[in-house]
Amino acid sequence: MKWTSSLLNFFYPNRCPACDCILTAHELLCCACSDTLPLSQEQYCRICGKPDCMCRQTSLSYDGAVVCSTYTEGTVAAILQLKQSRNTNFAIFAARILAERLHEERLQFDCVIPVPMHRSKERMRGYNQAALIADEIARILELPLYEDILIKQRSAISQHELSADERAAHLDSFGITAQRLDGMRILLCDDVLTTGNTLNRCAALLKENGAASVYAAAAATTIRKNRRKEL
Ligand SMILES: [Zn+2]
Ligand SMILES: [Zn+2]
């Protein structure tokens, strides 16, 4: 098997999703990007997950958050690769950082649930990137992964094509299966935390079905334009 993986890596080299440099077969990001992309835990709010805290402006349904990096430069490239089914390295890289942070904080969960993607979109892409992140975190923390509790009920226009209001209205398309989640402490995973609307709606649905707490984990988070220069 070793020679086949070397041969594959010769013809289709493993690349850093953030800067496109060539990596060895088992690396996820190059050393420079691995050092510079993740935020330290002091650089974002532990409740909303944003570097520019939105706790005062928004009422949150989730109870706290961990994020890996801000949506700038290398992260934008890495997320784009992830969304275009070209390179999933960043999902695994971010999941490992997130799992380490959750473990350090000694937070306890009963299961991991990804933000769902509509089935037709998932079939086209080949995977749901939030589920890739959730799956790796669940594996590291030895927690069950439940992919069929939250559902996306209809196909959607890409979130980035919508205004904030349209995005909020559009979130009605999330649904939940009838399964009760009484007393469960849930870790909810997504790729990008933007306005918090998606995580809020999903967390509210989980709590309506009995969840005791919902903690959010996201690979990347956006920052408001006027804050970008400061960070
Ligand atoms: Zn790199
Ligand atoms: Zn906050």
Side-chain angles (χ1 to χ4, degrees):
M1 284 307 283
K2 207 170 178 186
W3 68 269
T4 42
S5 98
S6 309
L7 204 63
L8 270 174
N9 205 40
F10 178 78
F11 287 110
Y12 305 101
N14 182 25
R15 290 181 181 274
C16 175
C19 72
D20 210 36
C21 74
I22 293 178
L23 305 172
T24 62
H26 303 292
E27 281 179 301
L28 294 171
L29 259 71
C30 72
C31 294
C33 293
S34 303
D35 286 344
T36 52
L37 289 195
L39 286 171
S40 79
Q41 282 164 288
E42 289 70 42
Q43 288 175 289
Y44 60 88
C45 170
R46 309 305 283 281
I47 307 295
C48 63
K50 302 291 290 182
D52 43 353
C53 174
M54 61 178 182
C55 291
R56 286 190 179 192
Q57 300 92 337
T58 318
S59 92
L60 297 173
S61 299
Y62 54 92
D63 303 288
V66 283
V67 299
C68 176
S69 55
T70 45
Y71 203 54
T72 50
E73 295 177 16
T75 309
V76 172
I79 291 282
L80 204 65
Q81 296 262 346
L82 188 57
K83 286 184 188 288
Q84 294 176 344
S85 317
R86 289 194 291 189
N87 185 333
T88 56
N89 286 8
F90 189 66
I92 309 302
F93 173 82
R96 291 180 185 174
I97 301 261
L98 295 168
E100 197 178 298
R101 291 185 177 171
L102 293 163
H103 178 71
E104 277 168 12
E105 291 191 32
R106 298 178 191 280
L107 290 161
Q108 300 288 317
F109 303 103
D110 298 304
C111 67
V112 186
I113 294 181
V115 167
M117 177 184 273
H118 190 269
R119 279 184 201 283
S120 64
K121 204 169 171 185
E122 189 171 339
R123 266 198 302 273
M124 259 169 54
R125 187 169 296 173
Y127 56 81
N128 167 6
Q129 66 272 14
L132 293 183
I133 297 162
D135 183 52
E136 180 69 2
I137 295 179
R139 189 188 65 77
I140 297 168
L141 300 181
E142 298 180 347
L143 292 167
L145 172 74
Y146 297 145
E147 285 192 69
D148 49 2
I149 288 182
L150 287 175
I151 42 173
K152 195 82 180 276
Q153 289 172 321
R154 60 187 158 83
S155 191
I157 311 162
S158 294
Q159 292 281 299
H160 64 264
E161 290 171 27
L162 303 173
S163 70
D165 286 348
E166 286 169 331
R167 200 176 286 160
H170 179 72
L171 290 170
D172 287 332
S173 63
F174 284 109
I176 191 160
T177 55
Q179 184 174 340
R180 292 295 304 169
L181 303 164
D182 293 338
M184 290 187 86
R185 299 158 300 177
I186 293 169
L187 180 66
L188 177 66
C189 298
D190 204 359
D191 55 345
V192 184
L193 161 60
T194 309
T195 59
N197 283 339
T198 299
L199 289 168
N200 259 341
R201 181 74 184 122
C202 291
L205 281 170
L206 294 168
K207 286 185 173 176
E208 281 165 24
N209 264 39
S213 63
V214 179
Y215 208 87
T221 183
T222 52
I223 42 176
R224 284 194 291 267
K225 278 183 187 155
N226 56 356
R227 282 292 315 276
R228 280 186 199 155
K229 290 184 196 119
E230 299 166 31
L231 293 163

